[in-house]
Amino acid sequence: MADAHVHTPPPANEAVRSYAPGTPERASVQARLADLTDANTEIPLVIGGKPVMSANLRPINAPHRHELVVGRHVTGGVKETQAAIDAALAARPGWASTPFKDRAAIFLRAAALLAGPWRDTVNAATMLGQSKTVQQAEIDSAAELIDFWRFNVHYADQLLAQQPGSDPTAWNRMEYRGLEGFVFAITPFNFTSIALNLPTAPALMGNTVVFKPSRETLLVCHFLMEVLRVAGLPDGVINMIAGDAVQISGQVLADRNLAGIHFTGSTGVFQSLWKTVGNNIAKYRTYPRLVGETGGKDFILAHPSADQTALTTAMIRGAFEYQGQKCSAPSRAYIPQSTWKRIKADLAEQVEGIPMGDIADFRNFMGAVINEEAFKKHKGAIAYARGNARSSIVAGGRTDARQGWFVRPTVIETTDPSFRLMEEELFGPILTVYAYPDKDFDRTLDIVDQTSPYALTGAIFARDRAAVIKAADRLVHAAGNFYVNDKPTGAVVGLQPFGGARASGTNDKAGSPLNLVRWTSPRTVKETYVPPMDYRYPYMADELPT
Ligand code: NAD
């Protein structure tokens, strides 16, 4: 074997395409969207590199068109879950001994395939399955996932370069091993990039994975598993399973070889996984690493010195893009009464004018919410606000389930900063505003900090620098991603590493070295050149004659 000290190529963020009328990318993604709309794709499990089909198929309907079945997926049970665990364990020795540069090359090739020939397929599948506009699909399933794959390679390389010191008697080294066992990746519906980052980040570090995506993302995950296969990922390194989440998780968490969980989703589910691991702790071969990015109740706080137009735009884009179903979407806003008086009518007018509908119609800014359960939850929250003396509907407040799960972008005003909708995560297009007395900025900082158990994202809007300093200081634990004069969504890999604390997660910052470090169990090696030949130390020698 020839030796070289290889460096991975420096990463750059993938450019986001515009899809404006007349552009070639618009025509090509529209053509792919039309193909996939009619394809009724069959989605197998992928175990040991082989597609697992069955007669037992479950339909996936487009959220914006109930009657449209975009795919039918295999539902696995106990047998398939065990097969996925076994396949991950069988692939582990070969993958763990594959040199880093070769593992990295597979993910760099996957990034290039996604940036080029697979981009339209993956974007179109995300649009159909998750009801994303082309813009929202492009920044997620294309740009962010490409960035995850390229930047993670770079960060892993930096991590491997971290080595201890040596002296003339011995050479010390750190070897970055994968964890002993397999990693379980459980992923949410709302980001394709997260769905694939969670299994691939541990895989890059030498781990093999059982991957359970959210049902709503199975169409796009099916294509991305194919991208990884074409890129050269060996059989069994990532095994995709679908079915009853509780059964699958219960079985996987009972396996003594569970070495880690890479989770993104709701706080309650992560806490239940943590409890199960706690109950099983004596059974495991090693302490499983628990990484979870979970819920949020993200905020926008405005100071009386805030720029009103920037504030209004941030509230609309932040709260309503992708129907408010971003973990980072602001769902509570604290606006000084004087500012609120000036922006309220304009905000309401803009929100009422937001175009919403089928994502195949590129004039729309919003699609449908993900499923009936979400729709009912949002409808219930709006009804609660409408019937409450402490709140009123400023804009939106209408729902329509005839063709799809459509919830109009809704702004609610409350006179009570502890109003239920200021505290609970709804994960939909509902923004609740509390207009605070201008003189109470300091008191409002405490309210923002203490109103919810979460601490994911938040933003301060102010021209006054002293207000920015004060907010950044007082809200130091209220958000893992804090924005000054910007909406609190849209974090970019390599620029704003993402994650929150408190009930929002373990804050291991996806797309950064801090995340990758969780998927490695380093071994320190000391190699001594001339070992001692006598156990006795000099101090033990006979005393000198006096
Ligand atoms: P979810 O918790 O319902 O589901 C996440 C995953 O867990 C899915 O694969 C699901 O099938 C599985 N699951 C559901 N119930 C389970 C159970 N009882 N046992 C084991 N697995 C189970 O979350 P979701 O609705 O897909 O996503 C929305 C949530 O994710 C929101 O709370 C949002 O804030 C959060 N989120 C957080 C981040 C972040 O970075 N902090 C990012 C995206 C989404």
Side-chain angles (χ1 to χ4, degrees):
M1 196 180 282
D3 290 331
H5 193 154
V6 175
H7 296 287
T8 54
N13 288 110
E14 178 69 7
V16 172
R17 295 181 177 171
S18 82
Y19 299 92
T23 55
E25 68 259 23
R26 184 179 177 104
S28 108
V29 80
Q30 281 175 332
R32 197 68 187 112
L33 189 61
D35 294 344
L36 287 187
T37 301
D38 296 332
N40 199 349
T41 309
E42 287 198 353
I43 303 166
L45 313 177
V46 182
I47 299 177
K50 308 287 173 293
V52 176
M53 278 310 298
S54 110
N56 178 15
L57 294 177
R58 229 184 124 188
I60 302 173
N61 300 75
H64 45 276
R65 269 176 69 185
H66 305 314
E67 97 291 357
L68 176 64
V69 175
V70 295
R72 288 174 304 138
H73 73 89
V74 172
T75 303
V78 172
K79 187 169 126 244
E80 290 77 13
T81 305
Q82 192 55 50
I85 295 171
D86 293 345
L89 291 172
R92 195 185 162 277
W95 183 241
S97 58
T98 302
F100 171 70
K101 72 170 176 28
D102 296 285
R103 298 200 307 265
I106 291 168
F107 292 107
L108 292 176
R109 180 159 150 73
L113 289 165
L114 178 52
W118 284 85
R119 192 178 197 121
D120 287 337
T121 300
V122 167
N123 276 340
T126 298
M127 293 169 74
L128 276 176
Q130 291 136 270
S131 199
K132 290 205 173 193
T133 61
V134 71
Q135 163 78 11
Q136 293 302 313
E138 168 74 6
I139 61 172
D140 164 21
S141 47
E144 183 164 82
L145 183 52
I146 294 164
D147 288 351
F148 272 134
W149 283 344
R150 290 185 175 147
F151 279 81
N152 276 345
V153 162
H154 171 68
Y155 294 137
D157 197 18
Q158 288 181 333
L159 194 59
L160 268 49
Q162 288 186 29
Q163 293 295 327
S166 293
D167 63 24
T169 69
W171 183 7
N172 299 314
R173 304 187 286 273
M174 285 264 274
E175 296 173 347
Y176 291 84
R177 306 172 298 182
L179 309 179
E180 196 178 10
F182 67 91
V183 171
F184 185 33
I186 318 174
T187 65
F189 79 82
N190 66 334
F191 275 96
T192 298
S193 56
I194 296 177
L196 268 289
N197 183 47
L198 299 202
T200 53
L204 175 66
M205 300 308 290
N207 298 282
T208 55
V209 181
V210 174
F211 170 33
K212 201 220 77 66
S214 165
R215 207 178 93 73
E216 284 86 359
T217 61
L218 282 170
L219 180 65
V220 69
C221 288
H222 165 66
F223 291 117
L224 282 162
M225 287 297 287
E226 186 59 13
V227 170
L228 291 171
R229 191 189 67 77
V230 174
L233 192 72
D235 293 350
V237 172
I238 297 177
N239 302 279
M240 184 173 91
I241 176 104
D244 180 332
V246 176
Q247 176 265 309
I248 293 172
S249 301
Q251 189 177 346
V252 172
L253 268 55
D255 195 292
R256 74 181 291 264
N257 294 297
L258 178 78
I261 297 178
H262 204 186
F263 175 85
T264 297
S266 55
T267 299
V269 171
F270 186 54
Q271 291 185 351
S272 77
L273 297 174
W274 194 303
K275 273 187 202 148
T276 306
V277 168
N279 290 337
N280 291 342
I281 199 69
K283 292 188 197 159
Y284 299 121
R285 182 192 288 273
T286 185
Y287 292 105
R289 303 277 170 94
L290 303 180
V291 175
E293 296 305 329
T294 58
K297 188 71 191 173
D298 310 307
F299 62 85
I300 288 181
L301 167 64
H303 182 259
S305 68
D307 181 299
Q308 291 165 26
T309 310
L311 172 64
T312 307
T313 306
M315 288 166 80
I316 297 172
R317 280 197 171 172
F320 302 129
E321 278 182 322
Y322 191 39
Q323 296 79 266
Q325 300 172 121
K326 299 189 186 189
C327 38
S328 52
S331 56
R332 53 185 174 125
Y334 302 81
I335 314 290
Q337 285 172 353
S338 62
T339 311
W340 182 236
K341 226 160 125 187
R342 287 194 292 269
I343 68 169
K344 183 173 166 178
D346 176 41
L347 175 74
E349 192 185 327
Q350 290 197 51
V351 171
E352 290 297 353
I354 288 176
M356 186 176 83
D358 191 329
I359 46 72
D361 179 345
F362 277 28
R363 291 168 304 180
N364 286 324
F365 180 79
M366 290 171 63
V369 300
I370 195 70
N371 54 29
E372 184 173 11
E373 195 188 338
F375 177 84
K376 283 185 172 157
K377 189 184 195 187
H378 307 328
K379 194 173 172 177
I382 291 167
Y384 173 78
R386 186 168 277 123
N388 201 297
R390 287 167 298 151
S391 60
S392 57
I393 310 273
V394 173
R398 297 179 304 284
T399 57
D400 184 348
R402 280 170 299 174
Q403 287 190 3
W405 306 119
F406 288 105
V407 177
R408 282 295 310 171
T410 298
V411 180
I412 293 165
E413 179 178 359
T414 181
T415 50
D416 176 5
S418 307
F419 190 57
R420 206 186 94 198
L421 304 191
M422 296 294 279
E423 293 181 344
E424 274 181 29
E425 181 182 52
L426 292 171
F427 218 58
I430 300 173
L431 172 67
T432 307
V433 177
Y434 169 63
Y436 70 88
D438 286 35
K439 61 175 178 29
D440 284 353
F441 180 68
D442 283 29
R443 201 174 75 83
T444 305
L445 287 170
D446 292 335
I447 293 172
V448 172
D449 186 51
Q450 277 147 39
T451 294
S452 105
Y454 301 108
L456 191 48
T457 75
I460 169 76
F461 276 77
R463 284 201 184 100
D464 178 343
R465 196 70 213 173
V468 172
I469 294 168
K470 194 181 272 183
D473 188 31
R474 294 273 282 281
L475 299 174
V476 67
H477 288 294
N481 283 61
F482 188 66
Y483 292 77
V484 179
N485 293 320
D486 202 350
K487 67 180 168 55
T489 60
V492 174
V493 177
L495 301 181
Q496 297 98 18
F498 191 79
R502 295 186 181 163
S504 290
T506 52
N507 200 11
D508 289 291
K509 298 290 188 220
S512 85
L514 294 172
N515 179 279
L516 297 179
V517 89
R518 303 298 310 274
W519 309 119
T520 180
S521 175
R523 176 170 78 161
T524 303
V525 178
K526 176 187 181 190
E527 182 170 347
T528 296
Y529 305 128
V530 184
M533 299 296 180
D534 183 347
Y535 82 90
R536 282 166 292 217
Y537 289 102
Y539 78 89
M540 297 162 69
D542 292 340
E543 293 288 353
L544 296 174
T546 49

